[in-house]
Amino acid sequence: MPKKDPTATRIELLQGTLDLLILQTLRWGPRYGYGIAEMIRAGSRNALQVDTGSLYPALHRLERQGAIDAEWGVSDKNQRVRVYRLTSAGRKQLAAEQSRWRQLTDAVAGVLAPPAGSEA
Amino acid sequence: MRWRRRFPFPSGRRDHEIAEELRIHLQMAAADRVARGESPADAAANARREFGNVGVVSEVTREATGGIWLERLAQDLRFGLRTLGRTPGFTMVAVLCLALGIGANASVYGWMEGILLRPFPGVTNQERLVAVAGTTKGTSELDELSWPDFVDLERGSTLFDAFIVNKIVGTTLTSGDRAERAVGLMVSPNYFDALGVRPVLGRGFTSDEGTGKNGHPVTVISYREWKERFRGDPAIIGKTQTYNGVPHVIVGVAPDGFLGTFVGYSMQFWVPSSMQAAFDPRGYTLDDRGARWIEGFARLKSGVTIAQAQAEITAAARRLETDYPDIDRGRGVEILPLWKSPFDNAKNLLPTLRVGFGVVLFVLFIACANVANLLLVRSFARRHEMTVRLALGAGRSRLIRQLVTEGAILATLATVCGLLVAYWCRNALVLFFPSQGGISYTFNGDFDWRVVALSAAVGLISTLLFAVVPAFQASNIDLAGALKSDSRSSTGGRSRVRAALVLLQVALSFVLLVGATLVLESLQRMRSASPGFSTDNVIVTSANLFAAGYDTARAKTFDDQLLQRVRAETGVETAALARSIPFSTRPYDSGPIAADGFDAKTDAQPTASYNSITPGYFATMGIPLVSGRDFTVSDDETSEPVAIVGESMVERFWRGASPIGRRVQVQGRWRQIVGVAKDIKFGSLLETPRALLYLPLRQNFSTQVAIFVRTSQGPAALTPALVREIHALDANLAPYEVITLREQLDRSTSPQRVAVTLLTLFGMLAVLLAGIGLYGVMAYAVSQSRRELGLRMALGAAPMQVLRLVMTSGLAMTMIGIAVGAAAALGSTRLLGYMLYRVSPRDPIAFGAALVVMIFAAILACMLPAWRAARTDPVGALRE
């Protein structure tokens, strides 16, 4: 049996959030599937573990939508990999998703924070 | 995924890419774990565990990619094929049923296209081609036009691209010591250009070759003739071919596949109209406005309707009437779509094709009903499968898509098989029409995308309609309930649908059976109907003396010698010559007549048909003379012209008074009536007696006559002798086939024979299919009510009672179907029209016979299920 990683507090990703994370990750340069997953995990300090069953469909869907490009290349460890890269359409989509995310978090924060002067 | 291995279909680059990508992901994850200190084995296992189900991941990834529908389709196809492959019996029966229905439909539709709509392969824009025929006031019959009239019509009209002269001609070709008959067309010089047909070698005719008596002995030969008779000789142009004694220079070879412009025959040669005198015993008539022989076509300008063209042509015909009152008074011109052309075989085939089309539509309905029934049975068997798949999380849309794919596979298989059937049958219509006189018929079925598209549409719609039923039923499945209970409940609705389908099949089969019996009865009555002359023991043949280059004097000598020699043969009772053969394809001569003591109304010119005969004709044919005398050898060129009239003429022209001693005018000559003969039918058995009179051959001579021989021996024994005698007189003559008048008569019933064949064949098939359907429903009903039957038997019902119970319910269903079918038949058998001869479309015998056959089939179909029901083991059935 695998050992449980005690620090891993798994968080379910909100619908649509994965696209944002992928696009954001690819902002720093082309990357292959495993690299993207690792980067998201590292970036979230193990809080976000991307499920491969979500990652790859998302990658291929984004590719179909034209937000990212893909081609076969070679990794730094000389492994044949499928490398994804952000397109200009993807950059625009990233900007849009970022602002939407900000609106969402602001809104959620607003709901969660007790409004001033309404202490019961 | 097991099936993937069993069915190694190529599944696209993307599949491999995804698999590869995921494999690399796993590798990297494992490598990272090894780097973090796990053992390679643990690392691989953990990486895999973290990854999840590789199959599912690749599946959902594939679904997210753009080309997914194609891959899913491939997957559905594979799965569908496998499912159908698991029930080969079902698949085969369903495909066979549909293939037969679709194939029969496509064949008949192909025939209709090829014969009625686009009858002339190789001719461009046939929809703008029309037949041009002459009319005479007072009759509805259409006839030919004369050259001068035809030319004037062309000159006086603006809505036509071209007028095309067309006249079928025959000749005898001699190769070595063998003479054989050939058929060709005499045409105007614009023929090939106007039809859009380009000779593959040489040229068509030039405009100066149209006129000038026998001035241009040139010919274009058919591709087949070139290939077979001349072995594809590349230097064929400039060689000669002798027709009717005149050598013709070959100037062109028609393209492959161009058969000419006469439905039913494949032409072997074409000659220009200037050669008319070489082919027509009447001589050169291009300057004779009264000589009508042109079986013409015209090509409408694009966008011109037949009505517009008719209006213009009517005006032109009016002008002809005023300009040439002596000849053209009361004459008109009618243009008709090709399928109504009075000149070729298209119009004869129309009723046959109509019946054929009706029959195959019925067969298609029955086949569809059968397949629907099969699919419904199957849907029941698959209810459990559907339930399980739903329970395991399959989407409903996915299930429906799967079922539709299966239906589409069935339909595609069936359509492909059906089209194969149709392709093989495309020229099969000719099988119903044996060759006559050495010339074979050609009926060219048109097999194009329209036929294919129509058949495919029919196949798809009919299958898909019923293929999705299980899916919609699946949508209503109460999952928990259905999984718990055995799949036995809630089938009432479906058995009602199935019963209705069987009912439909029984009804349709019944209609076909009634139709088959009606036409069969007609055929029998036609065979036993007397045409007014004796049909057995009289044989007939002819040799075209004109085509062999005989002049009148030589022909007369030949005739006398032939009669003399034939009469001397043993077994010959009497022999005679006559110009026309009853029931042959060549019509009797006819023309205007006048009679002593009969005042014709001013614009209703009486006409009559006439035949030229030698003495002894009536005795040979067995036509009784009512009064007066037969012709004798002394009724010749030098004696007073005489005639013998048919009985019906007596009634019409002399109100029943004896006409002997009076005169009748035929072909402009007054002739003394010396006798009255019984009426005969000579065009069709269905006709009412027509005015017919007889002239002595010597007084109205023709070089194209037939010899009739009455024999006391079998006709077959005399045939070689007859041919021998003809060849003894002239080895270069090619006699037409020797046949009995009975055969001659039988040929005129070919529409009925085709209809009987089609109706009987498909009627029986329909009964078989309906029987299978009935059996299916009853067997299923019995298997579903085992519990009930067991209970009845446990409570004391005897096996016979159970048997009767099942039989009764099966027969009740059949009777309802028959009642529906009878109602439909009462309304629809009228459509058989002239196929019926002295049989009422509501003939009780036909309905009775159909009833008996249907009930017999129903009893057979219900027998096995009923027997099984009677053998139900009450204990076992109740314990289940």
Side-chain angles (χ1 to χ4, degrees):
Chain A
M1 282 306 281
K3 288 173 279 177
K4 275 247 180 231
D5 185 348
T7 61
T9 324
R10 295 284 181 82
I11 299 175
E12 284 284 316
L13 279 178
L14 278 169
Q15 187 98 41
T17 316
L18 181 57
D19 288 4
L20 172 62
L21 293 179
I22 291 171
L23 293 174
Q24 177 72 22
T25 310
L26 289 178
R27 234 181 108 179
W28 317 117
R31 222 160 226 95
Y32 46 87
Y34 181 73
I36 295 170
E38 287 302 295
M39 199 154 165
I40 292 174
R41 182 158 67 176
S44 67
R45 285 177 297 278
N46 281 354
L48 296 175
Q49 183 145 6
V50 183
D51 183 18
T52 44
S54 310
L55 174 68
Y56 284 99
L59 282 171
H60 285 256
R61 189 174 55 245
L62 286 170
E63 184 190 347
R64 191 184 74 204
Q65 289 164 353
I68 57 177
D69 264 348
E71 60 184 9
W72 287 94
V74 178
S75 76
D76 42 3
K77 285 178 188 145
N78 227 9
Q79 175 114 19
R80 208 170 97 85
V81 285
R82 198 156 192 263
V83 181
Y84 296 89
R85 149 194 345 267
L86 210 56
T87 65
S88 55
R91 255 171 244 289
K92 278 188 207 124
Q93 189 177 338
L94 175 60
E97 302 243 357
Q98 277 173 337
S99 81
R100 255 187 42 206
W101 177 255
R102 242 169 257 125
Q103 282 170 9
L104 178 70
T105 46
D106 286 355
V108 173
V111 172
L112 294 182
S118 71
E119 215 83 31
Chain B
M1 292 275 125
R2 192 169 59 92
W3 45 269
R4 168 74 55 83
R5 260 171 268 128
R6 281 181 50 200
F7 289 83
F9 289 92
S11 45
R13 203 168 60 93
R14 197 178 287 267
D15 266 14
H16 294 297
E17 282 193 355
I18 291 171
E20 174 77 354
E21 198 176 7
L22 298 183
R23 194 182 58 76
I24 292 164
H25 183 110
L26 266 172
Q27 253 178 30
M28 287 177 154
D32 272 5
R33 284 174 184 272
V34 171
R36 287 203 294 266
E38 293 184 24
S39 76
D42 279 358
N46 289 338
R48 193 169 279 274
R49 178 190 53 78
E50 193 182 54
F51 190 93
N53 185 326
V54 181
V56 170
V57 172
S58 60
E59 170 81 30
V60 290
T61 305
R62 199 162 47 233
E63 295 210 8
T65 60
I68 183 63
W69 64 271
L70 202 83
E71 283 147 40
R72 244 189 250 169
L73 182 69
Q75 195 189 352
D76 282 347
L77 276 178
R78 282 192 296 268
F79 189 70
L81 280 173
R82 192 168 65 113
T83 318
L84 290 173
R86 265 200 308 244
T87 49
F90 160 81
T91 309
M92 225 156 70
V93 172
V95 167
L96 260 181
C97 275
L98 272 180
L100 201 89
I102 294 170
N105 265 279
S107 310
V108 174
Y109 185 62
W111 294 347
M112 293 181 92
E113 278 231 342
I115 291 162
L116 302 180
L117 302 182
R118 273 168 296 117
F120 308 135
V123 174
T124 54
N125 297 327
Q126 293 184 43
E127 69 284 352
R128 288 199 275 127
L129 221 50
V130 290
V132 182
T135 61
T136 309
K137 206 173 246 174
T139 75
S140 59
E141 276 172 39
L142 297 166
D143 59 9
E144 295 85 356
L145 290 169
S146 71
W147 180 274
D149 278 356
F150 205 73
V151 169
D152 285 345
L153 283 179
E154 175 160 28
R155 224 171 262 152
S157 58
T158 57
L159 300 178
F160 298 83
D161 277 340
F163 277 69
I164 303 159
V165 172
N166 186 66
K167 170 73 182 175
I168 187 164
V169 292
T171 189
T172 309
L173 293 177
T174 320
S175 48
D177 58 350
R178 223 165 61 88
E180 63 186 82
R181 303 197 326 107
V183 60
L185 287 174
M186 182 156 60
V187 299
S188 47
N190 65 348
Y191 182 82
F192 290 101
D193 290 338
L195 294 178
V197 173
R198 298 176 57 86
V200 285
L201 274 182
R203 57 171 177 91
F205 300 125
T206 57
S207 55
D208 60 309
E209 284 167 348
T211 50
K213 181 178 178 180
N214 284 5
H216 306 280
V218 291
T219 181
V220 171
I221 58 171
S222 73
Y223 189 85
R224 197 158 155 199
E225 196 73 358
W226 175 53
K227 280 284 175 205
E228 286 174 10
R229 191 181 296 274
F230 297 101
R231 295 189 186 80
D233 180 3
I236 186 71
I237 305 299
K239 301 214 163 140
T240 59
Q241 172 89 294
T242 301
Y243 306 133
N244 292 1
V246 181
H248 286 66
V249 178
I250 296 172
V251 296
V253 175
D256 194 11
F258 175 62
L259 306 177
T261 43
F262 193 95
V263 170
Y265 294 116
S266 159
M267 293 299 157
Q268 288 158 286
F269 66 90
W270 290 262
V271 289
S273 42
S274 58
M275 297 310 293
Q276 198 217 3
F279 291 89
D280 191 333
R282 285 170 296 189
Y284 187 75
T285 57
L286 263 57
D287 43 17
D288 181 354
R289 200 172 285 277
R292 302 187 173 114
W293 56 273
I294 295 174
E295 301 171 344
F297 294 109
R299 189 187 275 292
L300 301 178
K301 286 206 165 114
S302 127
V304 174
T305 66
I306 288 205
Q308 290 165 342
Q310 180 65 59
E312 187 181 58
I313 214 96
T314 304
R318 251 331 105 61
R319 283 198 295 278
L320 288 179
E321 266 189 282
T322 39
D323 291 353
Y324 309 98
D326 301 347
I327 298 162
D328 281 340
R329 183 184 303 147
R331 293 281 298 173
V333 177
E334 193 173 332
I335 57 175
L336 314 105
L338 292 180
W339 56 276
K340 280 189 183 164
S341 166
F343 303 126
D344 57 26
N345 287 306
K347 63 178 186 310
N348 300 332
L349 291 166
L350 197 59
T352 307
L353 289 175
R354 210 172 41 206
V355 169
F357 199 61
V359 169
V360 294
L361 264 186
F362 269 52
V363 170
L364 183 67
F365 284 142
I366 292 170
C368 284
N370 232 33
V371 172
N373 222 331
L374 284 169
L375 283 166
L376 283 175
V377 175
R378 203 168 117 93
S379 85
F380 180 81
R382 296 185 70 179
R383 218 169 80 109
H384 200 73
E385 176 200 336
M386 293 296 148
T387 316
V388 170
R389 287 178 69 178
L390 275 178
L392 290 180
R396 279 205 167 112
S397 66
R398 183 72 202 238
L399 278 191
I400 292 181
R401 210 173 52 217
Q402 177 60 48
L403 288 165
V404 169
T405 312
E406 275 177 41
I409 293 174
L410 270 187
T412 309
L413 280 176
T415 307
V416 169
C417 295
L419 286 175
L420 279 179
V421 171
Y423 187 74
W424 286 322
C425 295
R426 71 196 184 286
N427 295 332
L429 185 60
V430 77
L431 296 180
F432 293 114
F433 299 88
S435 76
Q436 296 186 9
I439 302 288
S440 331
Y441 281 112
T442 309
F443 293 119
N444 207 69
D446 203 326
F447 196 77
D448 66 0
W449 62 268
R450 267 174 281 217
V451 179
V452 176
L454 187 85
S455 320
V458 165
L460 267 177
I461 292 169
S462 53
T463 333
L464 291 188
L465 214 57
F466 292 96
V468 291
V469 168
F472 286 115
Q473 278 171 337
S475 320
N476 299 324
I477 291 173
D478 156 29
L479 273 184
L483 278 176
K484 243 184 280 165
S485 83
D486 173 39
S487 36
R488 179 160 295 190
S489 51
S490 74
T491 52
R494 215 163 335 150
S495 20
R496 267 197 298 279
V497 175
R498 292 193 59 203
L501 285 171
V502 168
L503 222 131
L504 177 75
Q505 282 180 290
V506 170
L508 290 175
S509 317
F510 185 79
V511 176
L512 281 183
L513 281 181
V514 170
T517 330
L518 283 174
V519 183
L520 203 63
E521 272 188 87
S522 302
L523 197 63
Q524 249 155 12
R525 283 185 198 193
M526 287 174 98
R527 285 192 65 100
S528 56
S530 167
F533 53 86
S534 53
T535 50
D536 299 311
N537 296 327
V538 182
I539 58 174
V540 60
T541 190
S542 57
N544 190 342
L545 297 182
F546 176 77
Y550 281 56
D551 59 11
T552 307
R554 214 176 135 209
K556 283 178 180 170
T557 318
F558 177 89
D559 286 355
D560 287 344
Q561 286 175 338
L562 180 65
L563 274 182
Q564 208 176 346
R565 295 182 79 120
V566 168
R567 281 175 180 149
E569 282 283 335
T570 49
V572 172
E573 287 181 349
T574 56
L577 303 175
R579 168 148 169 80
S580 301
I581 304 171
F583 294 92
S584 78
T585 45
R586 203 183 60 200
Y588 275 44
D589 295 327
S590 74
I593 61 162
D596 271 345
F598 179 79
D599 288 325
K601 292 186 186 69
T602 36
D603 59 349
Q605 172 68 49
T607 61
S609 300
Y610 50 90
N611 193 0
S612 305
I613 60 173
T614 61
Y617 174 79
F618 293 106
T620 308
M621 293 289 286
I623 303 172
L625 280 174
V626 180
S627 60
R629 64 167 176 91
D630 189 4
F631 297 135
T632 66
V633 280
S634 54
D635 293 316
D636 61 10
E637 302 86 338
T638 55
S639 65
E640 186 200 11
V642 291
I644 292 174
V645 298
E647 226 179 350
S648 63
M649 288 185 69
V650 177
E651 209 40 61
R652 175 155 175 221
F653 293 103
W654 299 282
R655 288 181 212 83
S658 170
I660 292 175
R662 295 181 191 250
R663 292 178 314 150
V664 61
Q665 191 192 40
V666 188
Q667 288 196 321
R669 279 180 87 185
W670 284 98
R671 299 158 201 266
Q672 188 86 29
I673 297 172
V674 296
V676 177
K678 275 264 184 213
D679 283 325
I680 64 163
K681 293 179 176 178
F682 53 93
S684 130
L685 274 173
L686 283 73
E687 73 193 6
T688 49
R690 291 197 274 162
L692 173 65
L693 50 85
Y694 301 88
L695 310 173
L697 182 60
R698 283 302 171 100
Q699 293 179 357
N700 187 42
F701 195 72
S702 168
T703 43
Q704 290 178 320
V705 294
I707 179 164
F708 295 75
V709 180
R710 172 180 283 270
T711 157
S712 49
Q713 302 171 340
L718 207 61
T719 302
L722 197 51
V723 175
R724 194 177 60 235
E725 293 301 346
I726 291 173
H727 278 150
L729 285 170
D730 186 342
N732 285 327
L733 284 177
Y736 284 34
E737 61 189 329
V738 183
I739 63 170
T740 63
L741 287 180
R742 162 56 57 197
E743 284 174 70
Q744 188 75 56
L745 194 61
D746 282 349
R747 283 176 185 176
S748 73
T749 61
S750 62
Q752 281 81 5
R753 278 183 292 123
V754 177
V756 162
T757 312
L758 287 176
L759 282 166
T760 314
L761 197 73
F762 288 121
M764 283 298 147
L765 190 80
V767 172
L768 183 73
L769 291 180
I772 293 173
L774 187 62
Y775 165 78
V777 168
M778 293 314 294
Y780 179 71
V782 167
S783 78
Q784 287 305 295
S785 43
R786 261 172 70 79
R787 221 179 263 265
E788 184 207 324
L789 292 170
L791 191 64
R792 275 171 189 262
M793 292 181 83
L795 291 177
M800 268 313 285
Q801 281 172 308
V802 172
L803 188 96
R804 203 175 309 138
L805 185 77
V806 177
M807 290 299 279
T808 313
S809 76
L811 285 181
M813 202 191 296
T814 312
M815 287 310 293
I816 301 172
I818 289 176
V820 174
L826 282 177
S828 61
T829 45
R830 267 180 310 109
L831 300 178
L832 286 169
Y834 96 102
M835 289 280 171
L836 299 187
Y837 175 72
R838 290 195 188 153
V839 173
S840 154
R842 302 181 166 188
D843 182 59
I845 297 175
F847 280 74
L851 182 78
V852 170
V853 172
M854 209 63 242
I855 289 186
F856 184 67
I859 290 176
L860 276 184
C862 298
M863 199 69 105
L864 192 63
W867 181 73
R868 237 186 240 149
R871 281 176 42 106
T872 307
D873 166 24
V875 180
L878 287 175
R879 195 177 282 154
E880 260 173 27

